[in-house]
Amino acid sequence: MALLIRGGEIVTVDSRVRADIYVENETITRIGKNLDAPPNTEIIDAAGKLVFPGFIDPHVHIYLPFMATFAKDTHETGSIAALIGGTTTYIEMCCPNRNDDALAGYELWKSKAAGKSACDYAFHMSVTKFVKETESQLRQIVADGTASFKIFLAYKNFFGVDDGEMYQTLELAKRLGVITTAHCENAELVARLQQKLLAEGKIGPEWHEPSRPESVEAEGTGRFATFLENTGATGYVVHLSCEKALRAAMDAKSRGVKVHVESVLPHFLLDKSYAERPGVEGMKHVMSPPLRAKQNQDALWKALAGGSIDTVGTDHCPFDTEQKLLGKDSFVNIPNGIPGIEDRVNLLYTHGVKRGRLELDRFVDAASTRAAKLFGLFPRKGTIAVGSDADLVIFDTNYRGVVSVKSQHVNNNYNGFEGMEIEGRPSVVIVRGKVQVRDGNFVGERGRGKLLKREPTHF
Ligand SMILES: [Zn+2]
């Protein structure tokens, strides 16, 4: 089966050019002006539209047992929502807890996705303890094509590792050439501040942010970077939320530490006043690190525009209002997380590119190319080039709409970005040569997504 995408403006990190793209089977085989095509070629008219490489969300949760419940999406629902929003590959956090066996956890997470996802996917393997068998299990997992780790400095006694385990993980990651992603908050301080606030009768969602203030995240970020510095490993701070933590990462970078930074959609568009709304309205916006004071947003946008923030993910993690109410008597029991997988590209384009905060090439880089490069997917993913997978997003900049729970495909009964305007959306989304989405509707093949095998690249 062949496809010809005709007359669009192709946008990559390196260039903007009006040209046709010819796709055979799953791969881009020609790019040029006025390409001819054999009969039976499906022709897609992209005139007046932008053509982007398929977008990559480097941080999502689909299957997730967490805080006495499960996140709402499955790979069926999550992947369709992702595709409708222009994301053709996501990287899911494989998160067994400290009591689980790592290898058994890895197999379980793989089984939840296999044959179910409509988009391509990969995993970051969480290391939630470091015991006798950990090294050989992680070697097996890396050999299976999962070449990135995740550690949590927060969530003590559940996902969290101590400094010794962090050291052992990074030392092994360095030897294996694997990048380690990290949730950076000081677990001890979070636990102490939670106890203190609860003892004072401060139980509502508005106390979630004060229980894990900016300094607690900055400390975690700085400590992670110091451990990178002393092991020589490469690291990636996930969901960075504030200027203080950014400064800690940038200080380390200026010393030559190999540290990369991700922020996630909510921190650019929402602030802590959302979590201060009464009752369940506030609970909808409880995540960790928490939504911050609004003045951080300027710093994050500037760092994103300049490339100090490498990528924008979502930390997609849908819990519905009934689950959020598990924390009605104590903010520490509110399941942490907010959905975003469907809205990331459109909101980043609208509030970044259209509002003049982000150049178009940096938008493509932050939402696709940089993640592909950091996580061993480039140039198969993350660009439009001969030989690359034909993952393409034909983007209609004239579309106007509003984000709403009423029209979303994510399996949840609220949308944390409710009411926000979007100016532009994908009109056609192609995964490895197959049209999966047209004008906001899934028209493709369920279960077609592949687990992407990745080689270590961070030696
Ligand atoms: Zn996460």
Side-chain angles (χ1 to χ4, degrees):
M1 183 65 198
L3 275 180
L4 179 67
I5 294 109
R6 194 172 261 169
E9 186 176 353
I10 301 170
V11 185
T12 65
V13 168
D14 306 314
S15 70
R16 264 180 96 157
V17 57
R18 201 172 303 281
D20 303 340
I21 301 170
Y22 187 67
V23 174
E24 287 172 273
N25 300 315
E26 300 191 345
T27 309
I28 297 169
T29 55
R30 283 190 289 159
I31 299 172
K33 306 260 184 209
N34 306 315
L35 294 182
D36 53 1
N40 300 328
T41 300
E42 182 181 347
I43 295 178
I44 297 174
D45 179 14
K49 301 202 169 71
L50 301 177
V51 184
F52 295 123
F55 292 100
I56 299 170
D57 191 334
H59 184 168
V60 308
H61 300 272
I62 306 291
Y63 172 67
L64 184 68
F66 184 47
M67 296 178 83
T69 188
F70 290 84
K72 295 292 286 184
D73 267 321
T74 61
H75 282 273
E76 282 105 332
T77 60
S79 64
I80 287 173
L83 285 167
I84 286 171
T87 292
T88 53
T89 294
Y90 53 58
I91 311 183
E92 186 190 9
M93 297 291 175
C94 171
C95 291
N97 73 48
R98 278 183 80 86
N99 299 319
D100 297 330
D101 179 75
L103 202 53
Y106 180 62
E107 293 302 332
L108 174 63
W109 257 260
K110 272 170 71 174
S111 75
K112 296 287 177 185
K116 305 280 177 22
S117 178
C119 67
D120 286 350
Y121 60 95
F123 297 102
H124 299 300
M125 182 64 208
S126 294
V127 182
T128 51
K129 63 183 165 195
F130 208 101
V131 293
K132 189 160 52 63
E133 61 273 21
T134 301
E135 174 166 347
S136 66
Q137 292 191 332
L138 291 175
R139 282 180 180 276
Q140 246 177 286
I141 289 164
V142 172
D144 189 51
T146 291
S148 49
F149 297 154
K150 165 81 180 282
I151 55 173
F152 294 87
L153 309 193
Y155 304 122
K156 207 178 171 182
N157 302 325
F158 192 68
F159 296 134
V161 290
D162 63 24
D163 284 358
E165 292 166 316
M166 168 157 62
Y167 182 86
Q168 288 175 288
T169 305
L170 294 177
E171 196 269 332
L172 177 64
K174 167 69 183 166
R175 278 189 278 135
L176 297 179
V178 162
I179 188 170
T180 302
T181 71
H183 178 137
C184 299
E185 290 180 297
N186 186 303
E188 188 63 38
L189 280 169
V190 172
R192 299 281 172 173
L193 292 172
Q194 285 179 336
Q195 283 166 18
K196 177 171 174 276
L197 290 163
L198 292 177
E200 293 166 0
K202 295 169 174 168
I203 60 169
E206 71 274 26
W207 299 104
H208 175 72
E209 199 276 342
S211 77
R212 28 205 340 141
E214 294 174 13
S215 57
V216 163
E217 185 187 349
E219 190 281 338
T221 306
R223 181 157 41 98
F224 176 55
T226 303
F227 275 67
L228 294 173
E229 187 169 13
N230 287 282
T231 54
T234 302
Y236 175 98
V237 176
V238 296
H239 52 41
L240 182 134
S241 75
C242 62
E243 190 174 7
K244 272 199 180 80
L246 179 65
R247 218 177 295 138
M250 290 306 107
D251 279 357
K253 209 168 193 171
S254 69
R255 304 195 298 272
V257 178
K258 290 177 281 181
V259 61
H260 302 276
V261 176
E262 167 198 280
S263 189
V264 291
L265 190 64
H267 296 305
F268 293 94
L269 299 176
L270 307 171
D271 61 72
K272 69 178 183 177
S273 68
Y274 285 81
E276 290 166 351
R277 293 173 177 179
V280 77
E281 286 307 309
M283 295 178 195
K284 289 176 180 177
H285 294 95
V286 166
M287 66 201 78
S288 295
L291 293 174
R292 299 300 190 188
K294 199 170 176 55
Q295 65 259 29
N296 285 288
Q297 288 175 0
D298 260 350
L300 294 186
W301 279 114
K302 283 199 183 92
L304 179 63
S308 301
I309 292 176
D310 293 86
T311 59
V312 178
T314 55
D315 200 7
H316 175 76
C317 192
F319 294 105
D320 68 14
T321 49
E322 191 183 326
Q323 292 172 307
K324 289 282 183 181
L325 284 165
L326 292 168
K328 66 180 187 309
D329 298 321
S330 167
F331 67 87
V332 304
N333 296 327
I334 303 168
N336 285 196
I338 183 173
I341 204 168
E342 190 168 349
D343 304 312
R344 178 184 65 128
V345 169
N346 294 342
L347 285 173
L348 193 63
Y349 178 80
T350 303
H351 296 271
V353 178
K354 292 288 281 189
R355 300 288 179 269
R357 291 166 167 144
L358 206 54
E359 295 295 332
L360 199 56
D361 60 338
R362 186 76 261 280
F363 162 72
V364 172
D365 193 27
S368 177
T369 312
R370 192 74 67 101
K373 287 179 174 169
L374 288 172
F375 298 119
L377 291 168
F378 191 84
R380 179 176 174 192
K381 307 289 192 191
T383 193
I384 297 175
V386 170
S388 293
D389 280 0
D391 294 355
L392 300 164
V393 174
I394 299 166
F395 197 82
D396 178 5
T397 58
N398 294 318
Y399 179 83
R400 294 292 178 271
V402 172
V403 171
S404 174
V405 64
K406 293 193 197 89
S407 50
Q408 76 179 4
H409 298 79
V410 167
N411 184 29
N412 202 6
N413 65 357
Y414 78 93
N415 186 310
F417 305 95
E418 187 72 33
M420 288 192 180
E421 288 174 14
I422 54 170
E423 299 177 12
R425 75 162 183 189
S427 64
V428 178
V429 179
I430 298 165
V431 181
R432 282 182 286 105
K434 182 159 177 49
V435 174
Q436 293 284 70
V437 169
R438 278 186 200 275
D439 297 320
N441 297 306
F442 182 74
V443 296
E445 188 183 328
R446 289 166 198 269
R448 184 170 174 271
K450 264 194 200 162
L451 171 59
L452 303 170
K453 308 269 182 185
R454 300 175 292 127
E455 296 287 333
T457 57
H458 295 278
F459 289 99

